[in-house]
Amino acid sequence: MERNSKIVAGLIGALTVLGILFSISGSVERSGTIAIIPVHGVIAYDTGIEGVSPDDIKELIQKANDDPSIKAIVLDINSPGGTPVASEELMDAIKKSEKPVVSWISDSGTSGAYLAASASDRIVASPSAWVGSIGVILDLTDLSGMYRQMGINKYAIKAGEYKDMGADYRMVTDEEREMLQSMVNEEYDYFIKTVAANRNLTVSYVRSLAEGRIFTGRQAMKNRLVDLTGGRDRAVEVAAGLAGIKDYDTVTMAPSGGLLKLISSMLSKVGYSSNTTSTSML
């Protein structure tokens, strides 16, 4: 009788353990949704209808994080880059995501777009994509000769010695060139160090790949600038793996656009301005 009681007690204990295990396994979500967020065009504020604002992407990333049905995010990147501040803002939004973020580079993910992508948990690039172009450029134009030929006398009334630095009606002075070059160099060093930190690479190694060079997706993988090559489906699979789900669907979350965005961008251009053209990571 005592032996039978022990057997019964053992069976009850085993069933209890099995019940707990089934309960735990049942509570683990094996399905969910992967959010696909397009990042197409130049990354900048006040882009008008074309291009993409980091504020729009940040808002979509936050929405994806707030939605319990969404388990991971894929950024569908096709961008030549953008302004330093806008690219950094997008990068920070990716870093702050509570859910896994995979960047898929289709045709192009260069310069500021690559800076942002480097903060992702994984980067997947199409084999023939253009990747990298780690560098900074300040685009200036001297039209003084053309103005003289056309009989146009363009000038400015200014307060502040350097207020018209970079204006198209005169060449920059040697002193101004040094000032601008130091600013570009500082941004370039920041770009290299940030990519090195995001990709877990040494600064010297990233510097050796920089110089504005562009790589194909295949070359970028060999040089450890991306993790895998493949199409969007491959990127979605990687995102699902990071989220720990096997059964999933996808939803595309695109920023709003249209007339309201165009009007907003036009109104935002009113204010203080500088003659220096904008620095970009293009």
Side-chain angles (χ1 to χ4, degrees), residues 7 14 37 66 126 161 178 192 211 217 272:
I7 293 173
I37 301 177
D66 293 340
S126 294
E161 181 180 356
E178 289 181 7
I192 291 172
E211 301 175 343
Y272 293 109

Side-chain angles (χ1 to χ4, degrees), residues 81-203:
T83 62
V85 173
S87 301
E88 291 164 20
E89 285 290 302
L90 179 53
M91 177 187 70
D92 289 340
I94 294 170
K95 283 184 176 181
K96 292 176 182 176
S97 175
E98 299 170 2
K99 297 177 181 179
V101 178
V102 174
S103 286
W104 173 58
I105 299 174
S106 56
D107 288 320
S108 177
T110 55
S111 213
Y114 178 74
L115 175 71
S118 70
S120 306
D121 296 290
R122 297 289 188 278
I123 303 177
V124 179
S126 294
S128 299
W130 283 20
V131 181
S133 188
I134 299 173
V136 181
I137 184 171
L138 177 60
D139 191 12
L140 301 173
T141 304
D142 176 17
L143 299 177
S144 57
M146 184 188 74
Y147 287 143
R148 284 193 299 270
Q149 290 179 0
M150 297 177 65
I152 298 174
N153 184 20
K154 186 176 180 181
Y155 60 94
I157 299 173
K158 62 179 181 178
E161 181 180 356
Y162 305 108
K163 186 59 180 175
D164 66 341
M165 181 169 56
D168 65 1
Y169 53 79
R170 69 174 180 85
M171 178 63 76
V172 293
T173 65
D174 290 342
E175 181 185 8
E176 290 170 340
R177 187 185 299 277
E178 289 181 7
M179 292 170 60
L180 294 173
Q181 187 64 60
S182 69
M183 294 169 64
V184 170
N185 290 345
E186 180 181 309
E187 201 65 43
Y188 181 53
D189 287 339
Y190 170 79
F191 195 165
I192 291 172
K193 291 175 182 177
T194 302
V195 169
N198 289 346
R199 294 292 299 167
N200 196 26
L201 301 169
T202 66
V203 173

Side-chain angles (χ1 to χ4, degrees), residues 18 30 39 51 72 85 87 101 110 120 140 146 199 204 208 221 223 233 248 250 258 278 280:
L18 287 173
R30 307 298 294 171
V39 182
V85 173
S87 301
V101 178
T110 55
S120 306
L140 301 173
M146 184 188 74
R199 294 292 299 167
S204 60
S208 71
M221 188 177 72
N223 288 314
D233 289 345
Y248 55 84
T250 62
S278 60
S280 72

Side-chain angles (χ1 to χ4, degrees), residues 103-105 109 114 122-132 199 201 205 209 213-231 234 238:
S103 286
W104 173 58
I105 299 174
Y114 178 74
R122 297 289 188 278
I123 303 177
V124 179
S126 294
S128 299
W130 283 20
V131 181
R199 294 292 299 167
L201 301 169
Y205 178 75
L209 297 174
R213 294 167 58 189
I214 296 175
F215 302 92
T216 66
R218 301 180 190 89
Q219 293 170 339
M221 188 177 72
K222 290 180 181 178
N223 288 314
R224 294 184 286 170
L225 293 178
V226 305
D227 300 292
L228 297 163
T229 58
R234 179 63 173 136
V238 171

Side-chain angles (χ1 to χ4, degrees), residues 5-22:
S5 297
K6 289 181 179 180
I7 293 173
V8 172
L11 289 172
I12 292 174
L15 290 172
T16 301
V17 171
L18 287 173
I20 293 172
L21 290 175
F22 278 121

